[in-house]
Amino acid sequence: MITSTIAIVLVLGGLIFFHELGHFTVARIFGMGVKAFSLGFGPKLFGFTSGKTDYKVSLIPLGGYVALAGEQGEEETDFPDDKLFSHRPAWQRLCVVAAGPFFNFLLAFLIYWFLALAQGQAVVLPLVGGVLPDSPAAEAGFVKGDMITAIDGASVDSWTQMVDTIRAAEGKPLQVIVDRSGDKLNLTVT
């Protein structure tokens, strides 16, 4: 239970950090003033100030925020007018707002490619998920849960490989070896 809670907090914290980093980065690219960049809400646990920006980690880790100068349309004494969010063109404000969700998509893309490179291409196993009544598979004796291991003597390691082998047969009968709960069965299907 504690491990799951810690994992959830770390994953959400990472997602939120990356989301807020998007807003922060684009605001900085446009030269907007940033008052605070916080991971978490509530009382500040620790942090530092650089320039006019207060960077902090706060007590409640389920959230975060970037406080832009002039974001609420209020007057700012610490930032000149040209640094205020509210004084920027609408397209720049839109870019800052859209940057958070965009960075979430970017993070998902990066995670996907990192996993693909680390693990190799995702492989879908040739596992029978269901058999339609009166289909060639039903007539041959396939049942849900069968793992196809070979077709016509050639080993089958993925769903894609199985589909390609069946298509290449062009309607000819195939000898299919399936693993059914540890038992090897030889089925013939056209």
Side-chain angles (χ1 to χ4, degrees):
M1 174 71 176
I2 292 176
T3 306
S4 296
T5 303
I6 291 170
I8 289 169
V9 168
L10 288 176
V11 168
L12 283 177
L15 289 172
I16 292 164
F17 173 79
F18 213 74
H19 178 93
E20 296 302 329
L21 184 63
H23 297 307
F24 174 82
T25 302
V26 173
R28 287 294 178 146
I29 288 171
F30 288 135
M32 294 178 192
V34 178
K35 295 189 290 187
F37 181 89
S38 177
L39 181 57
F41 292 109
K44 177 179 173 179
L45 293 176
F46 58 90
F48 64 93
T49 300
S50 177
K52 295 181 180 180
T53 305
D54 185 22
Y55 298 90
K56 57 188 172 179
V57 174
S58 299
L59 181 64
I60 303 167
L62 299 175
Y65 63 91
V66 173
L68 301 174
E71 185 174 13
Q72 305 297 327
E74 73 277 9
E75 288 299 317
E76 291 285 343
T77 57
D78 294 340
F79 295 91
D81 283 349
D82 66 328
K83 300 283 186 191
L84 301 181
F85 178 82
S86 58
H87 292 174
R88 291 306 180 99
W91 70 270
Q92 287 184 0
R93 295 191 311 261
L94 177 65
C95 288
V96 170
V97 170
F102 175 77
F103 267 51
N104 286 134
F105 285 116
L106 178 63
L107 179 62
F109 180 79
L110 293 173
I111 289 171
Y112 172 81
W113 282 107
F114 172 76
L115 291 174
L117 292 173
Q119 301 291 326
Q121 184 177 0
V123 174
V124 178
L125 297 176
L127 181 69
V128 176
V131 179
L132 296 174
D134 301 322
S135 67
E139 290 174 18
F142 287 92
V143 296
K144 181 178 179 177
D146 282 349
M147 176 70 70
I148 298 169
T149 59
I151 299 176
D152 282 346
S155 177
V156 174
D157 300 318
S158 72
W159 185 266
T160 304
Q161 182 184 9
M162 179 194 70
V163 169
D164 291 343
T165 303
I166 292 169
R167 284 185 181 149
E170 297 179 343
K172 297 175 189 153
L174 298 169
Q175 295 299 312
V176 180
I177 307 295
V178 298
D179 182 334
R180 185 178 294 163
S181 303
D183 295 330
K184 299 287 185 192
L185 302 172
N186 189 352
L187 305 175
T188 303
V189 65
T190 303

